[in-house]
Amino acid sequence: MLSVNETVARMLEELADLEDLRGTRYKPSAYRRAARNIRHTEEPVTNLREEGTLANIEGVGDAIRAKIIEALDTGTMSTLETLREEVPVDITTLKKVRGLGTKSLARLWSELGITTLDELEAAARQGKIGQLDGFGPKTVTGILEQVEHVREAMNRWLLSDLETAAETLQQRLTQAAPIRSITTAGSIRRRCPTAARIHLVAVTKKPEATLDAFTNLAEAHNILDRSPSQATVELVTGTPATLTTTWETHHGGALLDATGAPAHLEDLQAHAQQAGGSLTPQGLEQDGQTHAFTTETSLYEALDLPPIPPELREGNGEVQAAAEGTLPDLVTLSDIRGDLQMHTTYSDGVTDIQAMARKANTLGYDYILITDHGPSLGIANAPSEDELYQQRDEIQEINEEANIDTTVLWGVEANIVPDGLDVPEDMLDEMDLVVASMHDMVDDASDRIEHALEAYPVDILGHPTNRKLNRRKGNRLDLDRIVSIAEREKVALEINAQPKRLDLDWRDAFEHRDRVSFVISTDAHSPGEMEVMRFGVDQARKAWLPKGSILNAHPLEELVTRLGA
DNA sequence: GCCGTTTTCGGCCCGACTGTTTTCAGTCG
Ligand SMILES: [Zn+2]
């Protein structure tokens, strides 16, 4: 289900965590570095192995190369198996408990024998953890809170991962089942940032054989449920996946029903009932008979409505807007003309500026903004001020190259630190555009952001809440206040397109959509990551944003004017 | 375990923040 590179990367990361627990030095960071670079390598390691070029990946030497080959041949690594026995800690789950790192987990394991989330919770409740030196009451209550969050997160998955899994299922079924067509519905079709399940709808004349094929797929780890027209299986990842079968004549109603959201269907039902009808998964009941629909569009039409884009179907007034003819003209991926946040080897990106520029050129972008981290983010190999000036000169040279039409802009992702930004103001003034972001979780985030936006020439507020989906909720912000300041200071809010961020959240963007401008940026750390733009566009659409609200859907001159840069 | 050499060993991203301290260790990015 996962790509081979991702699978290998995760194995190496588990190896790193387990070695960390044993107190091994340096190996963990070597494994993590290799894992990260493998994840950012576009060519599958399977191919590199054939070519004998695995060791060309930074951080991959003889030992790790042998481990990759072993993983490709056997599906695992003997070192990993041995370590799992030696260190029987469910590290993949336990490391999600924020506040507990490998040092603490190693102690909890050796001193209290804790190896699982359940054991951690029990020990915390029984007061055993609070008795250990260095574990105070705040740590214990923090652990109990985190255990709950981790439990919730274990039953939700990122949109990007679910989409990949759903596509695999679609391909398998297209080959293995007598189906006419198959569509991904549910939360994935509505482009929700995370979701609890996969829901597919297949058009077929042979539901029984189709559902048999589905439950027999290699990907179907467990069968959870089965009826004449629907089956649910559990994938290896634990994700439930449902396949609903439908006749071609009833596809519209089935797809609408499987797509939801419940709140949208309720509003639609109320609308149907006003006209004396009633909506069912089969279609529309009216005057004692059921009308079936082959497409959603014809169903909406029967309700006297224009088709409502799946992203909008959340019960946020979209049915009323559709009835009044005031649905927004949503931004699309093809509207995007540039990308305003990305990293290079000047900080924690994996390629140089030129590689990013070439990728942007093939994407047909008018412009990109290079935004390496400001000097304070040590871990990210952040550039000094001298290096940032060097970068300016390098960008100038790339802009003179004839074979790249994309304009490369010089900027920075300045870090919002307690007393402002970590880049001097006169340097920011020289830059084309400035992104400022928080990388810490703090209580006074709103105050810091306010100060940064008012005291420095900031153009874009990057990943405003600093959330990581399924990992942490993000800083609690006074968005009303921040939006007012952004409006006044001509600062755009970023919708970060990284699948693990998608920050600002679409609900917040929706609430403030009429007051402020947005940019959609990939925050790419490799050329390939520039393609996650579509996930950000999805979120903008969920927030009802038209092209006009998205600054990087416009030519550079207009962008610069609207940012007051 | 990787890497780069004044080439086969000795170094290895570093600053902010938090909770627990009584002067700092562990976590996070
Ligand atoms: Zn950032």
Side-chain angles (χ1 to χ4, degrees), chain A residues 341 343 373 413 437 439 463 501 523:
Chain A
Q341 187 180 173
H343 299 263
H373 287 290
E413 184 190 13
S437 315
H439 292 94
H463 49 68
R501 288 196 186 267
D523 198 356

Side-chain angles (χ1 to χ4, degrees), chain A residues 341 343 348 371 373 377 413-415 435-439 462-463 466 494 496 501 523 525:
Chain A
Q341 187 180 173
H343 299 263
D348 57 352
T371 56
H373 287 290
L377 227 58
E413 184 190 13
N415 195 19
V435 179
S437 315
M438 290 272 322
H439 292 94
H463 49 68
N466 198 26
E494 180 184 88
N496 189 293
R501 288 196 186 267
D523 198 356
H525 287 66

Side-chain angles (χ1 to χ4, degrees), chain A residues 110-223:
Chain A
S110 65
E111 294 179 36
L112 296 175
I114 291 170
T115 60
T116 67
L117 197 66
D118 287 346
E119 289 167 3
L120 178 71
E121 183 183 23
R125 288 201 192 286
Q126 291 159 10
K128 289 184 188 168
I129 294 178
Q131 286 166 11
L132 298 181
D133 281 346
F135 289 82
K138 282 195 177 175
T139 305
V140 175
T141 53
I143 288 174
L144 287 171
E145 264 176 40
Q146 280 296 314
V147 167
E148 283 315 303
H149 288 161
V150 172
R151 289 231 174 85
E152 281 171 32
M154 285 199 309
N155 292 314
R156 297 196 74 82
W157 292 268
L158 300 190
L159 173 61
S160 55
D161 290 341
L162 290 174
E163 183 183 74
T164 309
E167 278 168 6
T168 306
L169 292 174
Q170 286 198 26
Q171 281 168 15
R172 298 280 187 275
L173 283 169
T174 303
Q175 291 160 358
I179 56 174
R180 234 199 172 134
S181 72
I182 184 159
T183 313
T184 301
S187 311
I188 304 177
R189 184 158 180 247
R190 300 201 317 278
R191 312 309 284 165
C192 298
T194 65
R197 60 195 316 107
I198 293 170
H199 198 157
L200 305 169
V201 175
V203 174
T204 180
K205 288 179 177 167
K206 298 176 178 169
E208 175 125 25
T210 297
L211 295 173
D212 283 345
F214 180 57
T215 56
N216 283 327
L217 289 180
E219 284 79 7
H221 204 238
N222 266 321
I223 301 171

